[in-house]
Amino acid sequence: METKYSQKKKSFLQEFKKLLSFETIGADPACENAMHLCAHYLQERLTALGLESQLINTPNHPLVFGSNCTAGADKPTLLLYQHYDVQPVDPLELWDTPPFAPTIKDHRIFARGAQDNKGQLQYVLQALELFDKKFPINIKILIEGDEETGSFGLSSILEREKELFKADFLSVIDVGMKAKDIPAVTLGVRGIATFEISIFGPKMDLHSGSYGGIVKNPLQVLSALLASAYKEDGSIAIPGFYEDVEEVDKEPLDFSFDENFSKKITGVDALGGEQAYTPLERAWLRPTLEINGMHGGYTGQGFKTIIPSSAHAKVSIRLVKGQEPQKMLQLVKDFFKKCCPEGVSIEINLHKGGGRACQACPTSLFTQAVKEAFSEVFKAPCSLILEGGSIPITTALAEASKAEPLFFGLGLLEDNIHAPNENFSLDRLEKGTYIVVKLLEKLKKAFL
Amino acid sequence: METKYSQKKKSFLQEFKKLLSFETIGADPACENAMHLCAHYLQERLTALGLESQLINTPNHPLVFGSNCTAGADKPTLLLYQHYDVQPVDPLELWDTPPFAPTIKDHRIFARGAQDNKGQLQYVLQALELFDKKFPINIKILIEGDEETGSFGLSSILEREKELFKADFLSVIDVGMKAKDIPAVTLGVRGIATFEISIFGPKMDLHSGSYGGIVKNPLQVLSALLASAYKEDGSIAIPGFYEDVEEVDKEPLDFSFDENFSKKITGVDALGGEQAYTPLERAWLRPTLEINGMHGGYTGQGFKTIIPSSAHAKVSIRLVKGQEPQKMLQLVKDFFKKCCPEGVSIEINLHKGGGRACQACPTSLFTQAVKEAFSEVFKAPCSLILEGGSIPITTALAEASKAEPLFFGLGLLEDNIHAPNENFSLDRLEKGTYIVVKLLEKLKKAFL
């Protein structure tokens, strides 16, 4: 396998750079064309790998689907889930190299999507290539274009295409490990729900001298509303926020947390969230409410003494097992509407998409196969972890495809996903390839 | 006087449009050249009016100065204070016509600075022109370029140039009236002090899934800090904030407030500030703390699920009689620093400039002369009011010039100063001219 990999290394890297060069920011309407070009490019790659491929149109971006089910009805079917859309790139000025001009430095490739998820998609495609069109099991692969914006496209066509997606196992290769030498498989991810909250005050910006003390300031109101959602101990003050949280068996999970390493990556101490829990309990087992963006008034050079006419915030809730996105959004909406004072108006725009948390079984054949593949490639025992992030579509996709889901991947904190200078190490690109190859072979054996 | 005005009306308007076309946003470094061009243009206009004129360089923008003291040592000297810098223009998309392309519609001229302060400067220059270089009293005029950004330039050269600015009376023609048919003279303005507050968290934007619940969110911290500065009753919670507030004799002042008219202009009820006071008491006699701008995280199209690395706010304090800007800034700085939690760092950047509140004498000869000029032109009794806005340099300028200060002007709420679609009515441009002419004549008579 290693020899074959080194023979193909150059062409692998060439294709990877090509994949990374598409400006596939799903949230940005200006990237519409790049999204289409990338989807077509991926469809061609799937065909070249020996899969029957197609683009499936959705109300949002197209998804790319491929399958090769020639292994036989007695063999299991693995549905591989990936995505080709990426996060926005700003603040652009903090990137050392342009986000869509992939650059290799110190055995790492820097680009938006280098890890999330184009890097992890690339090693899946590399693994499939190593089989030379003769797959040990039946393969389906689904590459969506709306993951970072809530998977609205995929969720819209899920019911219609459930036969197409039908599988025994669903691998969601969009997560990571705790450290580069400690392999891990992820049993679950948090769910997510997002919304925007706007406060509207005077019908135009007003002079803060003439009106300071006369009208309510929307930025002051929004700050106070957001602040009121948090208690002193870091917990969320919104009534019912924790009501549906289900207990999770903590026993198989590795909650160890390297404070020093985390501080090295983030530059700050792990002092956020509910102080009654350890850092990884907070990130894995507890729902959170985060302000992702906020703006209002004059934010340019110098100063402008105004009372702004409006103020805006983008907020996301991470959900854990038991919590329903729509119910949680309604709870939060009701809270802010009730707390909003007179003299301004409030508008809360709940986003489509989002999804429930998803948790896999720690002892299944599938989990065991993935654990073994990781252990063998890393030559170290594989631990079980959870992920604080979300792959919103997973629960619904697992239900539609009737497949057992599992999350894994070779992401690391240092990859800077969703941030400037996102990167992925070439070493892990290779290891990931081997893990996927081994997984396919192990699933074949398990069904002999 | 009216005949002469109508003869010159066309050329007055031509000069006014020229003055409004200079993009003199003092806060914007890109407007540097426009500031210089406008200053030169004004110097030439002063020379043409029969004044000895000069540009005075400052550490910021140049100021324009002119004088004609040929009326004689037995005549009083009036120092006219104006400014040629204007507020920034954003949100640009809310302007119906370009802010630096003056446009006349329904007997109003629309442009940034149409009232504040180029409109009020224009009628002062028109009044001087009507005297045909033969002034009844000694005239000095000072037109600064840093008013909207805190008058740092003028304050820097004030001590050095105090002989040049020496005068008996200082007219600050940069305020307004309560309604278009109710003339008023402004006995005082609030002071101002401004600062920026930044919260720094992780060294880069982090994935809000992986880190939500682990690290502190700078937007959450900043919202909570700002919210903590306000009490439920609308008063400011910062210890000592009201300590130095001096009582003001309310008797001569007209505190009547037209709620309906205010709502028509602003679109909202007058529910801001301290509920224990009436609207105009709040705007005139009480200090306020306003958030003028705030930003952090992702604020573009769509959504980006990050914990931002930093959050920022621009804040201004309006000061009343008795309060020192530097002391108040220190109070506020100490409060926020003390309240800032662990896990993030705080930076508070106090701005230069700012200034104390200023209050004039309601019964002086100067106040009487201005009141009479307003009454005669408007054919209605003139009331005494205060102004919630600030002309930060006034107190220091009055001290340096040894002149008695007074504030007046023909501004109205409907002029949209500091906001999109700023405008000034041509009718008031004419009335303002007559008021200044009458004032000069009245001051001459008073000294006969």
Side-chain angles (χ1 to χ4, degrees):
Chain A
M1 186 156 57
E2 282 80 354
T3 320
K4 215 164 174 183
Y5 192 94
S6 27
Q7 283 162 1
K8 288 185 176 275
K9 204 166 177 175
K10 210 172 153 184
S11 75
F12 280 163
L13 205 57
Q14 214 165 4
E15 289 297 337
F16 189 22
K17 281 187 171 177
K18 170 121 202 212
L19 175 57
L20 290 170
S21 67
F22 292 101
E23 301 195 12
T24 53
I25 303 169
D28 185 352
C31 293
E32 196 67 33
N33 193 40
M35 294 296 291
H36 276 272
L37 290 176
C38 186
H40 278 282
Y41 160 79
L42 284 169
Q43 190 198 353
E44 280 170 23
R45 274 188 79 175
L46 294 187
T47 305
L49 293 175
L51 305 181
E52 272 183 46
S53 71
Q54 59 176 301
L55 291 190
I56 301 176
N57 285 324
T58 78
N60 271 14
H61 300 113
L63 56 87
V64 190
F65 182 78
S67 64
N68 180 320
C69 294
T70 57
D74 58 329
K75 299 288 187 304
T77 302
L78 173 66
L79 173 61
L80 294 144
Y81 166 89
Q82 310 290 149
H83 64 90
Y84 67 91
D85 60 314
V86 298
Q87 282 277 318
V89 295
D90 61 286
L92 192 58
E93 67 277 13
L94 296 187
W95 286 78
D96 295 332
T97 54
F100 296 104
T103 308
I104 294 174
K105 213 171 65 185
D106 300 335
H107 309 286
R108 290 181 162 269
I109 190 157
F110 288 82
R112 169 56 85 228
Q115 192 247 80
D116 178 18
N117 177 255
K118 288 177 177 171
Q120 311 228 52
L121 167 60
Q122 173 65 23
Y123 68 68
V124 167
L125 299 179
Q126 290 179 178
L128 297 182
E129 189 169 334
L130 291 186
F131 285 105
D132 282 334
K133 304 185 184 178
K134 292 184 286 288
F135 303 107
I137 58 170
N138 300 308
I139 295 293
K140 293 183 177 180
I141 180 166
L142 183 169
I143 313 168
E144 76 153 314
D146 297 323
E147 197 274 340
E148 302 292 1
T149 50
S151 296
F152 178 63
L154 177 51
S155 70
S156 303
I157 57 115
L158 211 44
E159 181 57 29
R160 193 185 77 204
E161 303 292 354
K162 61 186 179 185
E163 274 307 308
L164 190 66
F165 299 156
K166 205 173 165 190
D168 300 292
F169 306 113
L170 166 62
S171 71
V172 181
I173 306 181
D174 192 23
V175 293
M177 313 183 298
K178 285 166 92 167
K180 77 174 173 8
D181 301 321
I182 310 174
V185 170
T186 301
L187 279 188
V189 294
R190 287 197 284 193
I192 189 170
T194 60
F195 63 95
E196 286 185 58
I197 175 170
S198 294
I199 300 294
F200 296 98
K203 62 185 178 190
M204 62 202 170
D205 291 349
L206 296 176
H207 189 294
S208 73
S210 312
Y211 289 97
I214 292 189
V215 305
K216 281 237 161 73
N217 182 325
L219 275 172
Q220 183 192 332
V221 172
L222 183 57
S223 296
L225 276 181
L226 292 169
S228 73
Y230 301 90
K231 288 189 190 166
E232 274 280 312
D233 63 3
S235 66
I236 306 300
I238 299 170
F241 195 80
Y242 299 105
E243 202 175 82
D244 296 335
V245 172
E246 279 178 23
E247 279 292 307
V248 167
D249 178 17
K250 294 189 201 172
E251 200 279 318
L253 297 167
D254 175 10
F255 282 97
S256 66
F257 180 74
D258 187 340
E259 294 254 6
N260 288 331
F261 183 68
S262 169
K263 184 158 185 175
K264 199 179 136 193
I265 297 290
T266 65
V268 288
D269 292 317
L271 293 171
E274 295 172 277
Q275 296 312 300
Y277 296 84
T278 68
L280 285 184
E281 285 174 342
R282 272 137 51 192
W284 291 353
L285 305 179
R286 302 294 295 171
T288 53
L289 179 84
E290 293 291 347
I291 311 169
N292 304 117
M294 189 166 170
H295 71 110
Y298 184 69
T299 58
Q301 284 261 14
F303 220 88
K304 195 176 168 194
T305 47
I306 50 162
I307 296 179
S309 68
S310 63
H312 313 271
K314 293 181 196 272
V315 183
S316 58
I317 321 172
R318 297 284 167 174
L319 307 167
V320 298
K321 214 178 156 189
Q323 297 186 303
E324 278 298 327
Q326 288 310 313
K327 182 179 170 188
M328 292 299 289
L329 282 175
Q330 198 57 48
L331 266 185
V332 173
K333 186 175 177 171
D334 291 347
F335 173 81
F336 285 124
K337 288 219 158 186
K338 202 179 138 194
C339 295
C340 184
E342 283 189 308
V344 295
S345 63
I346 184 169
E347 224 177 87
I348 296 177
N349 186 6
L350 306 181
H351 290 169
K352 288 179 214 159
R356 280 171 284 160
C358 185
Q359 296 244 345
C361 169
T363 55
S364 78
L365 179 157
F366 186 30
T367 305
Q368 291 313 310
V370 178
K371 276 180 76 175
E372 281 172 31
F374 268 85
S375 286
E376 290 171 17
V377 170
F378 278 93
K379 301 181 175 59
C382 179
S383 62
L384 292 176
I385 59 175
L386 296 177
E387 162 59 41
S390 310
I391 302 142
I393 194 64
T394 316
T395 308
L397 180 59
E399 285 170 4
S401 64
K402 295 192 157 64
E404 177 188 337
L406 193 63
F407 307 85
F408 53 96
L410 281 84
L412 290 174
L413 284 181
E414 66 209 55
D415 300 341
N416 293 351
I417 67 168
H418 293 209
N421 302 316
E422 177 173 353
N423 67 87
F424 197 46
S425 66
L426 299 181
D427 165 62
R428 279 179 289 149
L429 198 67
E430 186 172 347
K431 284 201 170 76
T433 308
Y434 302 153
I435 287 169
V436 175
V437 168
K438 277 174 184 282
L439 172 62
L440 265 56
E441 287 167 348
K442 280 175 197 297
L443 287 177
K444 180 188 176 186
K445 268 188 209 154
F447 273 67
L448 278 182
Chain B
M1 185 154 59
E2 280 81 354
T3 320
K4 215 162 175 185
Y5 193 93
S6 30
Q7 283 162 2
K8 286 183 179 275
K9 205 166 178 177
K10 209 171 154 184
S11 76
F12 279 163
L13 205 57
Q14 213 165 5
E15 290 297 337
F16 189 23
K17 282 186 168 179
K18 169 121 202 213
L19 174 58
L20 290 170
S21 68
F22 293 101
E23 301 195 11
T24 53
I25 303 169
D28 185 351
C31 294
E32 197 66 34
N33 193 40
M35 295 296 291
H36 275 273
L37 291 176
C38 187
H40 278 283
Y41 159 78
L42 284 169
Q43 190 198 352
E44 280 169 23
R45 273 188 79 175
L46 294 187
T47 305
L49 293 174
L51 305 181
E52 272 183 47
S53 71
Q54 59 176 302
L55 291 189
I56 301 175
N57 285 323
T58 79
N60 272 14
H61 300 113
L63 56 88
V64 190
F65 182 78
S67 65
N68 179 320
C69 295
T70 56
D74 58 329
K75 299 284 184 307
T77 302
L78 172 66
L79 174 60
L80 295 144
Y81 166 90
Q82 311 289 151
H83 65 89
Y84 66 91
D85 61 315
V86 298
Q87 281 277 318
V89 295
D90 62 286
L92 192 57
E93 67 275 14
L94 296 187
W95 285 78
D96 296 331
T97 53
F100 295 104
T103 307
I104 294 175
K105 213 170 64 185
D106 298 335
H107 309 286
R108 289 180 163 270
I109 189 158
F110 289 80
R112 170 57 84 229
Q115 192 248 79
D116 180 17
N117 179 253
K118 287 176 177 172
Q120 311 227 52
L121 166 59
Q122 173 65 23
Y123 68 67
V124 167
L125 298 179
Q126 290 178 177
L128 296 183
E129 191 169 331
L130 291 186
F131 284 106
D132 282 333
K133 306 185 183 177
K134 291 184 285 290
F135 303 107
I137 59 170
N138 300 307
I139 295 293
K140 294 182 177 182
I141 180 165
L142 184 169
I143 313 168
E144 75 152 317
D146 297 321
E147 197 275 340
E148 302 292 2
T149 50
S151 297
F152 178 63
L154 175 52
S155 70
S156 303
I157 57 115
L158 210 45
E159 181 56 31
R160 192 186 77 205
E161 302 292 353
K162 61 185 178 186
E163 274 306 309
L164 189 66
F165 299 156
K166 203 171 164 190
D168 299 292
F169 306 112
L170 166 62
S171 70
V172 181
I173 305 180
D174 193 22
V175 293
M177 314 184 295
K178 285 165 93 168
K180 76 173 173 8
D181 300 322
I182 310 173
V185 169
T186 301
L187 278 189
V189 294
R190 285 198 287 192
I192 188 169
T194 62
F195 62 95
E196 286 184 59
I197 174 168
S198 294
I199 301 295
F200 296 99
K203 62 186 177 189
M204 62 204 168
D205 291 349
L206 296 175
H207 188 294
S208 73
S210 312
Y211 288 97
I214 293 190
V215 305
K216 282 237 160 77
N217 182 325
L219 275 172
Q220 184 192 332
V221 172
L222 184 57
S223 296
L225 276 181
L226 292 170
S228 73
Y230 301 90
K231 288 190 189 165
E232 275 280 312
D233 63 3
S235 67
I236 305 301
I238 299 170
F241 195 80
Y242 298 105
E243 204 176 82
D244 297 335
V245 172
E246 280 177 23
E247 281 291 310
V248 167
D249 178 17
K250 294 189 200 172
E251 200 279 318
L253 297 167
D254 174 9
F255 283 96
S256 66
F257 180 73
D258 186 340
E259 294 255 5
N260 288 332
F261 183 69
S262 169
K263 185 159 185 175
K264 198 180 137 194
I265 297 291
T266 66
V268 288
D269 292 317
L271 292 170
E274 295 172 276
Q275 297 311 302
Y277 296 84
T278 68
L280 286 184
E281 284 174 343
R282 271 136 53 192
W284 290 354
L285 304 179
R286 302 294 296 172
T288 54
L289 179 83
E290 293 291 346
I291 312 169
N292 305 115
M294 189 165 170
H295 72 110
Y298 184 68
T299 57
Q301 284 262 11
F303 220 87
K304 195 175 169 193
T305 47
I306 51 161
I307 296 180
S309 68
S310 63
H312 312 270
K314 294 180 196 272
V315 183
S316 58
I317 321 171
R318 296 284 167 173
L319 308 167
V320 298
K321 213 177 156 189
Q323 296 186 304
E324 276 298 325
Q326 289 310 313
K327 183 180 169 187
M328 291 299 290
L329 282 174
Q330 197 57 47
L331 266 185
V332 174
K333 184 174 178 173
D334 292 347
F335 173 80
F336 285 124
K337 288 220 157 186
K338 202 179 140 194
C339 296
C340 184
E342 283 190 308
V344 295
S345 63
I346 184 169
E347 225 177 85
I348 296 177
N349 186 5
L350 306 182
H351 290 168
K352 288 179 213 158
R356 280 172 282 159
C358 186
Q359 296 242 347
C361 170
T363 53
S364 77
L365 178 156
F366 186 31
T367 304
Q368 291 314 310
V370 177
K371 276 181 74 174
E372 282 172 31
F374 269 84
S375 287
E376 289 171 15
V377 170
F378 278 91
K379 299 182 177 59
C382 178
S383 63
L384 291 177
I385 60 177
L386 295 177
E387 161 60 41
S390 310
I391 301 142
I393 194 63
T394 317
T395 308
L397 181 59
E399 284 169 5
S401 64
K402 296 194 157 65
E404 178 190 337
L406 193 62
F407 308 85
F408 53 97
L410 281 83
L412 290 174
L413 284 181
E414 67 209 54
D415 299 342
N416 293 350
I417 67 167
H418 293 212
N421 303 317
E422 178 173 352
N423 67 87
F424 198 46
S425 66
L426 300 181
D427 164 61
R428 279 178 288 148
L429 197 67
E430 186 172 345
K431 284 201 169 74
T433 309
Y434 302 153
I435 287 169
V436 175
V437 168
K438 280 176 184 280
L439 171 62
L440 265 58
E441 287 167 347
K442 281 176 197 297
L443 287 177
K444 179 188 175 186
K445 268 189 211 153
F447 273 67
L448 278 180

